[in-house]
Amino acid sequence: MFNVEHIRQDFPILKREVNGKPLVYLDNAATSQTPQQVTDVIVDYYSNYNANIHRGVHTLSQEATDAYEQARIKIQKHFNAKFSHEIIFTAGTTHGINLVANGFTTLLKKGDEIIVSELEHHSNIVPWQMLCERTEATLKVIPMNTEGELIMSEYDKLLSANTKLVLVNHISNALGTINPIEYIIKKAHAVGAAVLIDGAQSCPHIKPDVQALDVDFYVTSAHKMCGPTGEGMLYGKEEWLNKLPPYQGGGEMIDKVTFEKTTYAGLPHKFEAGTPNICGGIAFGAAIDYMNGIGFDTVATYEHQLLDYATEQLSEIEGLIIYGTSKNKTSVISFNLEGIHPYDVGTILDKLGIAVRTGHHCAQPIMDFYNIPGTVRASFAFYNTKEEIDTLVKGVKKAKMMLS
Amino acid sequence: MAIQDIQDEIIDEFSMFEDWEERYQYMIDLGKTLPLIDAEYKTDDNLINGCQSKVWVHAEMKDNSVIFTADSDAIITKGIIAILIRSFSNQHPKDILDANTDFIDKIGLKEHLSPTRANGLVSMIKQLKMYAIAYQTQLS
Ligand SMILES: Cc1ncc(COP(=O)(O)O)c(C=O)c1O
């Protein structure tokens, strides 16, 4: 049985106060909090077996290497990749996207087209614009509707024999919309295009199966799913990872170095130059264990209850507008109070100990679509409670009273 | 009135409040007294960078005094800029340059002074001082 009070014991930070009030942390889409079980793994690493990996004959180095590679296997199993060498450790989603975008520089030419969506985070827009500048390929955009959903009939029209790449997020960070990636992937493959899915927002809520999805690349960050910051993974199909050139040169990624010619290491090391965030990788594995211990179905069911409750309660506030009203969404509510700037609302909520995000959420095209400067975004995790939503609703009412 | 006296007056007013709510409510009210920038100056050139909300500031010199007008799309930001302008407007550029901004701390708005804070109070102060530098150069 899922017991939220029990779960909250795992997160010491939830006991702290902010501005003299109990913290109500509703900025989970920006970063999630870290359970003690993961912190313990980090402390254990630095206290007991901190060493460089893949290069020492000594015991500590062997222990660290084993733990790091075991984490890779945990990640492989979690995402159901065929091989563990299809999992590349990265510094996060942004790093993974840039790695792939860089690799396509030699594979694209003028006249080729790549498709992104209007719902993307800047991380999944800018690297592709840079790729287009390098290769003279053209960028196309799948438009969205007012509910915050991608319009699939428009996507169909953008696809052609010129389409080489399709880049879409699994779940929108600004609105919470779950995109129909199965359809997007199938259609892209039908014209011979490769697909990269930005899973930064999906991995805290669902367990993607990369083989069932038949996706070419899937990227995510550990810090949104109870892991540490500056750590993440890129899944790539073996054939694609073999085709792409290395991203950064350095130690770890080589087979043989001479001044005449250097040959590269095989997968996954070809893409892992330099000493990685060893502890981060191990802690990422621990975070995945922690989340699986609770169970993704349990998480999804509970978070949905929170979403429905919060949507219902917030909707009762007169003049409150919710952006992103798809039936298919995760526990994110982006909203504004009519005539009031989101920054003002966020400032008052902070005074009440409530952490929300305000602004454009690194998704300016979405804000342009709605013609607003930004939104207030409350995003819920499995450790949030109905009582915290009541506090939020009271806080929003107070902000409205003070600001209008 | 000298800048120092105005700032003391502001500190005095804020000292009457018991909690953050009263302070913020007052700041919001002060925002409504802000000398508003003329629509013709509400341009991208007059926008201050580093603010999550938009802030426009315009300056002009009259009888050796700098006169500031401003606006913002966020009401708390408007209050902050109103407090700054009340202290700096109608002053000689040199006095503006010499003035410090400790009073912000003293009226319980310290949290807005962090350079990483998204409201850009620090950028606002910098911008007001930049105008003062420009007019000071004209005078000398
Ligand atoms: C959808 C989406 N993509 C990419 C990112 C970037 O992730 P990171 O900053 O961990 O690289 C985020 C994080 O906010 C996100 O929400």
Side-chain angles (χ1 to χ4, degrees):
Chain A
M1 235 329 256
F2 179 79
N3 178 336
V4 68
E5 285 313 321
H6 189 78
I7 295 276
R8 286 174 74 83
Q9 299 304 317
D10 294 340
F11 295 84
I13 205 169
L14 298 178
K15 294 194 185 85
R16 73 163 277 187
E17 292 196 340
V18 167
N19 290 321
K21 309 271 181 350
L23 166 68
V24 175
Y25 187 77
L26 303 179
D27 194 17
N28 296 287
T31 204
S32 56
Q33 294 304 343
T34 316
Q36 192 60 45
Q37 289 85 334
V38 172
T39 308
D40 286 347
V41 166
I42 295 170
V43 172
D44 181 44
Y45 171 79
Y46 283 111
S47 311
N48 294 310
Y49 61 102
N50 174 33
N52 213 325
I53 52 169
H54 297 138
R55 29 185 112 163
V57 293
H58 60 81
T59 304
L60 289 194
S61 172
Q62 199 51 54
E63 286 177 11
T65 307
D66 285 348
Y68 194 61
E69 290 308 322
Q70 271 162 21
R72 194 191 306 274
I73 290 167
K74 265 179 207 170
I75 297 168
Q76 174 209 349
K77 297 228 163 92
H78 179 76
F79 290 97
N80 193 30
K82 202 162 171 189
F83 308 110
S84 66
H85 61 249
E86 291 177 320
I87 303 296
I88 312 294
F89 278 117
T90 64
T93 304
T94 306
H95 178 200
I97 293 171
N98 277 279
L99 189 159
V100 176
N102 190 72
F104 269 89
T105 308
T106 51
L107 303 180
L108 294 189
K109 55 178 193 316
K110 193 171 175 168
D112 286 343
E113 294 173 358
I114 64 186
I115 298 177
V116 297
S117 93
E118 199 169 5
L119 274 182
E120 298 311 303
H121 188 282
H122 296 161
S123 283
N124 203 23
I125 300 175
V126 184
W128 307 110
Q129 287 176 320
M130 291 163 69
L131 174 65
C132 286
E133 276 174 25
R134 291 194 296 272
T135 58
E136 294 186 58
T138 312
L139 195 71
K140 305 261 169 167
V141 183
I142 312 170
M144 60 187 261
N145 62 22
T146 43
E147 281 78 41
E149 299 165 326
L150 295 177
I151 306 172
M152 283 301 104
S153 56
E154 294 296 324
Y155 170 58
D156 291 343
K157 285 186 218 156
L158 293 177
L159 287 165
S160 76
N162 295 328
T163 312
K164 292 295 178 295
L165 271 170
V166 177
L167 309 316
V168 177
N169 58 35
H170 197 161
I171 293 175
S172 152
N173 65 308
L175 306 179
T177 316
I178 305 174
N179 291 313
I181 62 166
E182 295 81 1
Y183 180 87
I184 290 172
I185 294 166
K186 204 175 278 168
K187 284 285 190 159
H189 285 170
V191 298
V195 180
L196 175 142
I197 299 295
D198 170 352
Q201 292 295 333
S202 48
C203 296
H205 308 289
I206 48 187
K207 188 170 174 168
D209 179 331
V210 291
Q211 288 192 75
L213 287 169
D214 194 25
V215 66
D216 303 289
F217 302 99
Y218 198 99
V219 289
T220 199
S221 300
H223 71 93
K224 306 220 192 240
M225 50 185 306
C226 297
T229 57
E231 179 62 36
M233 74 101 201
L234 155 68
Y235 159 81
K237 276 185 190 160
E238 182 186 49
E239 52 186 294
W240 273 115
L241 293 178
N242 279 329
K243 239 182 266 182
L244 295 188
Y247 179 39
Q248 292 177 318
E252 291 270 357
M253 55 77 73
I254 49 92
D255 171 32
K256 195 167 178 206
V257 177
T258 67
F259 284 109
E260 287 70 43
K261 182 164 176 60
T262 289
T263 51
Y264 305 124
L267 295 174
H269 306 296
K270 171 179 150 187
F271 293 108
E272 295 181 351
T275 300
N277 182 355
I278 302 164
C279 179
I282 297 169
F284 187 6
I288 285 180
D289 283 344
Y290 178 82
M291 300 253 345
N292 280 316
I294 298 171
F296 279 83
D297 288 341
T298 309
V299 164
T301 309
Y302 179 69
E303 287 176 346
H304 232 278
Q305 289 167 7
L306 290 181
L307 175 68
D308 288 345
Y309 181 66
T311 306
E312 188 190 294
Q313 294 294 310
L314 286 169
S315 301
E316 281 178 14
I317 300 176
E318 209 182 310
L320 187 142
I321 309 146
I322 293 178
Y323 300 94
T325 47
S326 174
K327 280 189 199 71
N328 255 325
K329 64 181 271 191
T330 47
S331 47
V332 168
I333 301 184
S334 238
F335 67 91
N336 275 329
L337 290 169
E338 214 169 358
I340 299 177
H341 198 282
Y343 168 79
D344 286 327
V345 180
T347 304
I348 301 294
L349 292 180
D350 176 57
K351 282 282 166 199
L352 297 166
I354 305 165
V356 292
R357 174 93 186 259
T358 65
H360 54 59
H361 316 298
C362 297
Q364 282 178 359
I366 301 179
M367 303 303 133
D368 291 346
F369 175 90
Y370 290 116
N371 195 21
I372 48 176
T375 69
V376 181
R377 183 188 67 184
S379 49
F380 315 109
F382 56 88
Y383 44 73
N384 288 125
T385 64
K386 266 180 134 174
E387 290 72 34
E388 288 180 308
I389 290 170
D390 292 337
T391 308
L392 169 73
V393 171
K394 250 194 249 157
V396 173
K397 284 182 184 161
K398 173 164 220 142
K400 186 183 161 193
M401 198 185 68
M402 288 182 72
L403 296 164
S404 37
Chain B
M1 219 189 318
I3 294 182
Q4 189 59 54
D5 296 335
I6 299 173
Q7 293 187 348
D8 286 344
E9 192 180 81
I10 297 172
I11 294 169
D12 236 31
E13 289 166 15
F14 273 83
S15 70
M16 301 184 313
F17 303 128
E18 308 256 311
D19 57 15
W20 73 270
E21 217 176 305
E22 291 180 354
R23 276 201 308 277
Y24 271 69
Q25 199 63 64
Y26 188 58
M27 194 156 65
I28 290 164
D29 291 342
L30 285 180
K32 293 171 188 156
T33 68
L34 176 70
L36 282 185
I37 189 167
D38 271 351
E40 62 177 306
Y41 298 124
K42 226 166 146 174
T43 59
D44 284 354
D45 281 347
N46 284 330
L47 267 179
I48 295 181
N49 288 325
C51 309
Q52 210 181 75
S53 48
K54 286 187 169 168
V55 184
W56 299 265
V57 173
H58 172 70
E60 59 192 40
M61 181 108 107
K62 245 188 219 149
D63 306 326
N64 290 347
S65 287
V66 189
I67 297 172
F68 292 110
T69 51
D71 200 3
S72 172
D73 56 352
I75 192 161
I76 293 175
T77 314
K78 223 162 140 170
I80 292 173
I81 189 89
I83 291 169
L84 285 179
I85 285 188
R86 181 164 147 204
S87 127
F88 287 155
S89 199
N90 275 310
Q91 301 289 343
H92 192 279
K94 177 151 188 325
D95 295 336
I96 298 172
L97 287 175
D98 290 344
N100 70 39
T101 45
D102 293 353
F103 78 108
I104 298 287
D105 193 350
K106 294 194 185 124
I107 61 178
L109 299 178
K110 189 182 177 178
E111 71 247 30
H112 293 281
L113 271 180
S114 155
T116 53
R117 181 95 191 177
N119 71 22
L121 173 58
V122 172
S123 315
M124 289 181 217
I125 294 172
K126 209 153 110 196
Q127 188 61 35
L128 299 186
K129 294 225 173 196
M130 289 293 276
Y131 276 118
I133 290 176
Y135 286 122
Q136 174 70 5
T137 332
Q138 268 181 29
L139 287 178
S140 51

